[in-house]
Amino acid sequence: MTRAEFVKICGIFGLGLPFQFSLMPGGIRDEMGTPFKGKVLIIGAGAGGLSAGYFLRQQGTDFEILEASGNYGGRMRINTDFADFPIPLGAEWLETKRTIFREIVNDPKVPVTIETIRDGVDRKFVNYSWYSFFEEYIVPSIKDSISYDTVVRSIDYSGNQIVVRTDKGQHMADKVVISVPLKILQDGDIRFTPSLPPKKREAIDRTVIWDGFKAFFEFSAKFYDDEYSFRIRPARKGQKMYYNAALGQNTTKHILGLFTVGTPAQDYISRSENDLKAFILSELDSIYDNRATPNYVNHIVQNWNNEPFIKAGYMTDHENPLTVRKLAKSVADKLYFAGGAYTNGTDWVSVHTAARSAMKTIVEINGA
């Protein structure tokens, strides 16, 4: 069963996607086991890396996060200048139950109140975002442990301690949590000594990673549907839809979003700025009786293929779950993997799966 099929079934029957941990009265999950006493290096400050650091901080384990870019968040990035509500340039929807927020915060003493609205089988944030959630609840306790603009070039795990070399110098650790986009590993941007095991390398190399593109167009009037989806065949080639990005927001602006991954995204990522604007407006004019161009106000785009430390959209929804499990498998009790691409194979590539993957990783590091 692919991720797409699994998530669809959960949505039809009103089920939450599975989470194998339960909160304890004190806020710390007993399944985490005895806190690890050594030093942990986390590579990447996206949802998986931030969550891993947050859980380690809760249990008192020494850690540091190395982030290649100048900010945390990865594909949770938002734009706060384009509209009077956060524009999610990457992760946008909540694809599981709202209890996930309390599960990630992992502390019953902390009140968590986040407004969302139903949007099809998923939910949308109201004047909020996944980035806002991490900014408010997760990052404050770990921000002093994040090193930015630190590009990891190699990881040597041949000795008793692991040597991580970056553009800025060398770091030593007892365990390393790798939480970088899968495309970074696929392209060999990080060298491993010794090489990763053949089955691990094969899983990395064979996985299909979709291209990723989003755009947001402001118009002077709402002439469009709340959702206009394109039928992509075969489905494994990707997804594409226009949608009302202002739906449920406290705003009077009319903003239409474009979300596309996989083969359909190539129509957009290959175009120059002016050509891209003209292409999208022409496409919308053909759908909505030439009402797009005369109502156009402004637009922004996010081409994830052009981000040097991300380089793509995300892993296909149609990957084999067994391959996903191989991606998540630790190596030599030294290298661990956390993030949306490194899960137990029942679900992947969402923010909540990245956080759950991080918890699974901390459990494993603790030997529980």
Side-chain angles (χ1 to χ4, degrees):
M1 178 182 293
T2 66
R3 174 189 183 267
E5 293 166 338
F6 182 77
V7 172
K8 182 178 180 180
I9 288 173
C10 289
I12 290 172
F13 291 100
L15 303 174
L17 295 170
F19 187 43
Q20 62 267 47
F21 305 104
S22 57
L23 283 170
M24 294 299 292
I28 302 298
R29 297 176 174 93
D30 62 346
E31 291 92 341
M32 290 177 74
T34 302
F36 181 64
K37 299 300 183 183
K39 172 69 177 289
V40 179
L41 271 179
I42 301 169
I43 302 174
L50 293 174
S51 298
Y54 178 78
F55 295 139
L56 288 172
R57 175 56 46 83
Q58 284 187 321
Q59 66 178 22
T61 297
D62 184 23
F63 75 94
E64 183 179 3
I65 300 176
L66 307 180
E67 166 57 36
S69 73
N71 200 1
Y72 61 82
R75 280 167 291 193
M76 295 187 292
R77 182 181 304 169
I78 61 174
N79 178 293
T80 57
D81 299 321
F82 186 71
D84 52 0
F85 62 93
I87 296 290
L89 300 175
E92 184 162 356
W93 289 273
L94 174 63
E95 300 177 64
T96 188
K97 292 183 178 181
R98 285 172 288 180
T99 54
I100 186 63
F101 302 125
R102 295 197 300 273
E103 291 172 353
I104 297 174
V105 170
N106 195 28
D107 186 346
K109 298 187 297 294
V110 177
V112 182
T113 303
I114 297 171
E115 186 179 358
T116 63
I117 60 167
R118 175 65 65 182
D119 185 15
V121 298
D122 300 324
R123 303 191 72 86
K124 279 178 65 83
F125 294 91
V126 177
N127 289 75
Y128 204 72
S129 66
W130 269 117
Y131 182 92
S132 306
F133 168 76
F134 275 79
E135 181 179 51
E136 181 175 356
Y137 292 98
I138 305 303
V139 172
S141 66
I142 63 173
K143 61 183 179 181
D144 294 338
S145 297
I146 306 175
S147 296
Y148 295 106
D149 301 310
T150 305
V151 182
V152 171
R153 298 300 184 187
S154 67
I155 300 174
D156 185 340
Y157 64 103
S158 61
N160 291 330
Q161 278 205 307
I162 306 167
V163 182
V164 176
R165 293 184 174 87
T166 77
D167 286 348
K168 293 183 174 180
Q170 181 174 294
H171 298 257
M172 308 294 291
D174 300 293
K175 308 277 188 182
V176 170
V177 176
I178 297 166
S179 190
V180 300
L182 186 58
K183 186 67 173 175
I184 299 299
L185 298 183
Q186 199 171 74
D187 286 358
D189 292 350
I190 299 175
R191 300 186 304 275
F192 291 89
T193 304
S195 299
L196 294 175
K199 289 185 178 179
K200 184 79 167 185
R201 190 69 244 181
E202 179 185 9
I204 292 171
D205 292 340
R206 73 171 298 277
T207 298
V208 174
I209 303 174
W210 278 337
D211 297 325
F213 179 89
K214 291 183 81 173
F216 295 86
F217 275 61
E218 181 182 357
F219 295 101
S220 57
K222 183 182 182 299
F223 55 84
Y224 44 82
D225 303 309
D226 283 340
E227 182 176 319
Y228 186 95
S229 295
F230 293 77
R231 187 173 183 178
I232 307 300
R233 290 291 182 266
R236 60 179 172 78
K237 285 191 174 182
Q239 301 170 12
K240 175 182 172 180
M241 71 173 180
Y242 285 102
Y243 62 98
N244 180 8
L247 180 69
Q249 308 303 309
N250 299 321
T251 182
T252 58
K253 290 182 176 291
H254 308 292
I255 297 178
L256 183 68
L258 166 64
F259 166 85
T260 180
V261 291
T263 301
Q266 295 171 8
D267 285 337
Y268 304 91
I269 62 179
S270 60
R271 297 179 184 275
S272 64
E273 184 176 348
N274 289 334
D275 182 35
L276 178 62
K277 172 187 170 182
F279 180 79
I280 293 176
L281 287 175
S282 175
E283 184 172 59
L284 289 171
D285 280 337
S286 68
I287 298 171
Y288 294 112
D289 299 325
N290 295 312
R291 285 180 286 174
T293 298
N295 283 292
Y296 169 79
V297 177
N298 196 9
H299 77 279
I300 55 173
V301 301
Q302 176 62 53
N303 179 356
W304 287 106
N305 285 43
N306 282 346
E307 296 295 331
F309 307 118
I310 295 177
K311 305 176 73 172
Y314 51 78
M315 180 171 63
T316 172
D317 287 349
H318 301 270
E319 189 52 76
N320 187 323
L322 295 178
T323 299
V324 179
R325 292 176 190 173
K326 290 177 183 177
L327 293 172
K329 188 174 178 58
S330 60
V331 175
D333 294 326
K334 293 180 179 179
L335 306 183
Y336 300 81
F337 298 81
Y342 316 104
T343 73
N344 62 9
T346 58
D347 190 17
W348 55 89
V349 305
S350 299
V351 175
H352 71 274
T353 63
R356 290 169 174 172
S357 169
M359 173 57 74
K360 175 182 66 66
T361 295
I362 302 310
V363 169
E364 188 175 359
I365 288 175
N366 291 344

